[in-house]
Structure formats: C-alpha cells, structure tokens
Amino acid sequence: MQYSKDILKTLAVFHLDRPEASWEDLKERIKDIAEEALTMGHNEGTRSLYMEVYDEMSNHLAEAASTGRFNVGQQRAMSMAGKVLRAAQDRLEGRPEGLVGLIEDLSCSTPVPPSLSLSVLRTDEPITFETLSGLFIAEREGNVAATTLKAIGFNCRTLSALLGDLDLRTHTRADMIALKEKVVQGRKPLTINKLLGQLTTVMDWAKNNGHIERSFDKGLKIERGAESTRKPMSREQVAIIMAHVNSLPVDNWKRWALSLGVLTGARIGEIYQLTKEDVKQVGGITVIDINKDEHGGKTLKNDFSVRQVPLVDGAYGFSLETFLEWVEGSQGRLFTQKKHYFDKPLNDALREPLGLKSGGDQSFHSLRHSISGLMKASVTPDAIMQAVTGHSAGNITNDLYARTQRLPVEVVHEALVKAFSLVKK
C-alpha cells in the first residue's frame, strides 16, 4: 500500500511503520507522545499550530487504518494513537482530563486482552464471538464515526455475553437458533434485528478473513413487526411546526435548521455539518449538497448518504429568498454551536409548538418518515425517494447505480414539488 509522505511520517512518529514492534513497544511510544502533549507549554500561536498538526495526524491515521494492512497490535496502537490525538486537542481547549486518563491507562502493565491477541487464532484453541468481534472492532477503529463504533461495541458485547464460550469454528445451526431464542427475550423486534444483523456482519467478516470456515446465522431476523418505534409527524403537525418556525426571526438558526429538516428529510447530523458552500445552484435549482469532507470534519452514515436535495420554495410557507439571504450572511459552517447545543435545543424547538414531551416517539428524526410518507402519497418512484433520503435500495443493482450515478436534480425537484402540493395551503 502506497501512502503519501505525510502519512508515512505520521506512522513513523508512532512507530507504526515497524511491523516487528510489539504492543508493549508501541504502547510506550504512544505514552511518551501523550505525556509530551500534556506537559508542553503553548502561546496562542503554537496552540493554533498544534491544533492543526493533531488534526492532520488524526486524518492520516484514519486514512491508513481504512486502506492498509496492519497486524492486530498495530491496529490497536493506531486506535490508541487516535484517542491520544483527540485528547491532545481537548487539552489545548482547556480539558486535560482525557490525556491524563489515557496516560494512566497506558501506564498499566496489563497484557493484550485475549480478544485482541493474535495468539487466540491458533488452530488448537476455540474462537469465541468475543474474540472475533474484538478483532472486527479493532480493524474499524479510525474508519467509522465514533457514535457508530460505540453502537457496534454495545451490540457485540451483548452478543458475546449471550454466546459465551461457544467455539465458532465448530458451531451449528442449532447454536444460532438457540442464540435467537435468547436475543428475542424482552427485546423489541427492531432491537432484535439490529443484534442479529450485527452477528451476520461479524460472521461474514470472519469468514472472509479466514478465521472460520462457515456460519449458520442467515435467516434469523424477524421479517414482520420490526418497524421503527419512531412515528412520523402528520401533515397537520408539520404544518403547525412550520407556522411556528416561519414566525421566528430571520436570524434565528432554529428557523432554518427545522425548515431544512421538514423540506429535505435530512438527518440532524447532516444538517449540523452544512456549510455555506453546501447551499448551491444546480441547473438553476437551489440544493443542499450533503457530502463527505473528512478534512473538514464531516462524516456520513454511509456512501448512500451523499446526495443533493432540492429546496422547494413555498413549501409549508418556506421562503427560499429569505433563507438564501441568511446563508449569504454566514461564514463557513451554517450552524456554529457545539453539537450538544444543536441537537437538544432543536428537538425541544420541534416539540414546543406541538406540546410534546421529551422522550416520546416523535423527534427530529420523525421528519424523515414524514417526507417519505408525503412522497409515497404522491406516488414518487422509489429511486427518487432514495435520492432524497439517502437510503440504500436494498439490492445490488440499484445500490451500485446509486453509488456511481445521480438522478438529475430537475427530476428530484419536480417530484418534491408534486409531493408538497398535497399540503393544504
């Protein structure tokens, strides 16, 4: 695997260019870097410089982890190095506790956990799900969003507890049926299918990487009754929300964030990441360009999430002209507050005009279901609905097309105009 000189330099800093290095050696090197980052003095100039340096190094490690071949010790070290770099940035913002905790962890002389040790893959020892999932997660650290990795870890820990010491080299279909019987106890269909889907993902990865020869996990999911517990907003509810939103001051960020949620069905994280440059004209139609820009800190759920969604002027009273004036007055990111001060206030603002309480089955994400329902009611083809919501088609042919082609913006815009025409004026 060929890397740029900058990536190679970053790997060398952490001794990740040395495949013969043991975990203990790598750990000591990472610890030295962490201690230096914690104790180094800064002025305003060097503080800004090091913030950029840490950010670039984090990107280099993520790129290497996602494309390179590294042994388990190197992958573990790469994950820890990424945590140290993020904690070093926190320290520059006045939060040193992350680095302090990591240094304490690195100072411990605990051996490599069995789930991450190459020795567990010896042919004379059993392979448990804990082992496989540990290797699976180690390979993905630095390659997926932190929230996604956290969800994967939770699902894998649940499955590991249920499967216990079962040797997956010699497991049978009966073992998988027995697992399903445990999984369904006390859980909703949606949660059951998420766990069983995680099982299949890890088992397929294990087969593809030669850790096991076969798996018997297919066909376990519940086909009926697995719908999401999130309920869509009715057209009347959305109309109430937008009537309230349109009455807010034109410089109120909640007005525009909620409007974009209603008009595009975009995820709350996708809207939060939008920049001034992401609002653009394509063929004379205004769109929001939902894209991945890892250097700019943007992340998306998957490749299908990359899309351009047209904005329909007048839908639910939305003023495109006023919105564009607000965008023009922005610099860089449209929403500049910390993530926590974006998500919760926005959900609160959504519920306020409806008199809803927090913790119910309707939230900002319900707007995605609402626009999907509106498009279904207007008999919108599935391909256009997927182009708007950024969903997978669920089959190889359409998904491959979606990754390489885009429907014309004019076609998507026309479909949305038709859908919003169902809304009472």
Side-chain angles (χ1 to χ4, degrees):
M1 182 64 64
Q2 297 295 315
Y3 294 119
S4 70
K5 290 182 178 179
D6 289 338
I7 293 178
L8 290 173
K9 287 179 181 177
T10 297
L11 292 174
V13 166
F14 292 97
H15 294 177
L16 289 165
D17 58 337
R18 307 177 187 180
E20 74 283 358
S22 68
W23 161 245
E24 290 300 321
D25 292 335
L26 295 172
K27 184 177 72 169
E28 284 302 311
R29 178 56 180 164
I30 296 170
K31 178 186 171 186
D32 290 342
I33 293 172
E35 289 177 343
E36 181 180 1
L38 180 64
T39 58
M40 184 184 302
H42 291 283
N43 56 37
E44 188 57 35
T46 61
R47 178 179 172 276
S48 299
L49 174 62
Y50 271 83
M51 185 69 79
E52 292 180 8
V53 169
Y54 293 147
D55 193 52
E56 288 181 2
M57 293 176 75
S58 293
N59 290 332
H60 294 161
L61 290 179
E63 176 68 17
S66 66
T67 58
R69 294 188 63 181
F70 297 93
N71 61 42
V72 176
Q74 288 175 305
Q75 288 283 11
R76 189 180 183 210
M78 204 172 301
S79 170
M80 181 59 73
K83 293 177 182 178
V84 165
L85 291 171
R86 290 188 289 273
Q89 289 181 303
D90 288 342
R91 182 255 164 165
L92 291 176
E93 293 183 340
R95 301 186 299 276
E97 58 273 11
L99 267 180
V100 172
L102 288 172
I103 291 170
E104 290 177 352
D105 292 342
L106 289 165
S107 299
C108 297
S109 58
T110 52
V112 178
S115 61
L116 293 178
S117 172
L118 286 173
S119 65
V120 299
L121 300 183
R122 286 166 40 186
T123 57
D124 60 342
E125 293 186 9
I127 291 184
T128 65
F129 188 80
E130 182 180 8
T131 297
L132 290 179
S133 61
L135 294 169
F136 173 81
I137 291 172
E139 186 175 286
R140 273 151 183 74
E141 286 189 286
N143 189 28
V144 298
T147 53
T148 301
L149 197 66
K150 183 178 180 180
I152 292 173
F154 177 81
N155 291 337
C156 287
R157 285 193 297 274
T158 300
L159 291 167
S160 296
L162 295 175
L163 285 166
D165 296 329
L166 176 66
D167 186 355
L168 293 178
R169 279 200 178 103
T170 59
H171 79 285
T172 65
R173 178 64 176 178
D175 293 322
M176 293 294 102
I177 296 296
L179 170 65
K180 180 178 179 179
E181 292 175 353
K182 296 177 183 178
V183 169
V184 300
Q185 293 177 12
R187 295 184 175 88
K188 295 181 179 181
L190 186 64
T191 303
I192 293 168
N193 280 354
K194 284 183 178 180
L195 287 171
L196 295 177
Q198 188 66 67
L199 172 72
T200 294
T201 299
V202 174
M203 296 293 277
D204 285 347
W205 172 86
K207 281 198 304 179
N208 293 336
N209 285 273
H211 300 316
I212 58 177
E213 293 183 0
R214 60 182 66 85
S215 63
F216 299 97
D217 58 280
K218 303 300 184 288
L220 295 177
K221 283 188 175 182
I222 297 174
E223 297 300 329
R224 295 182 181 273
E227 66 277 359
S228 173
T229 57
R230 292 186 179 115
K231 291 184 179 180
M233 300 283 181
S234 67
R235 295 181 201 174
E236 291 74 19
Q237 285 179 308
V238 175
I240 291 172
I241 292 168
M242 285 300 290
H244 171 69
V245 163
N246 293 332
S247 70
L248 295 175
V250 295
D251 60 351
N252 189 316
W253 66 268
K254 296 175 188 175
R255 171 175 179 164
W256 304 116
L258 286 171
S259 295
L260 292 176
V262 169
L263 269 63
T264 70
R267 300 175 179 92
I268 193 168
E270 294 170 341
I271 291 175
Y272 175 70
Q273 296 180 130
L274 289 174
T275 67
K276 182 177 181 179
E277 289 70 29
D278 293 331
V279 181
K280 57 183 63 174
Q281 295 286 313
V282 178
I285 296 172
T286 303
V287 304
I288 59 168
D289 190 338
I290 299 172
N291 56 76
K292 289 192 292 186
D293 178 9
E294 294 178 357
H295 293 293
K298 290 184 180 180
T299 59
L300 292 178
K301 185 174 182 180
N302 51 48
D303 289 341
F304 304 107
S305 299
V306 177
R307 61 200 188 277
Q308 292 180 339
V309 186
L311 299 178
V312 177
D313 189 22
Y316 287 108
F318 170 74
S319 172
L320 180 59
E321 180 182 0
T322 307
F323 171 68
L324 292 178
E325 289 175 356
W326 176 76
V327 170
E328 187 59 31
S330 303
Q331 299 292 332
R333 295 176 66 110
L334 297 184
F335 307 102
T336 57
Q337 50 275 98
K338 296 288 186 181
K339 189 69 161 61
H340 175 74
Y341 297 109
F342 179 84
D343 289 3
K344 187 179 185 301
L346 198 57
N347 271 292
D348 290 342
L350 178 83
R351 298 185 182 104
E352 181 183 347
L354 300 176
L356 299 176
K357 293 182 179 180
S358 178
D361 52 15
Q362 289 184 313
S363 65
F364 190 92
H365 195 85
S366 298
L367 297 176
R368 283 178 63 75
H369 297 283
S370 297
I371 196 170
S372 294
L374 198 61
M375 287 189 289
K376 284 182 180 179
S378 66
V379 199
T380 304
D382 287 346
I384 297 179
M385 292 178 61
Q386 289 148 13
V388 172
T389 59
H391 276 146
S392 162
N395 64 73
I396 294 174
T397 302
N398 288 346
D399 282 350
L400 182 60
Y401 179 84
R403 288 183 183 218
T404 57
Q405 305 289 333
R406 273 183 178 167
L407 289 173
V409 167
E410 295 83 359
V411 172
V412 182
H413 182 256
E414 182 180 349
L416 285 172
V417 169
K418 180 182 177 182
F420 286 120
S421 70
L422 299 179
V423 179
K424 292 182 181 180
K425 302 296 183 182

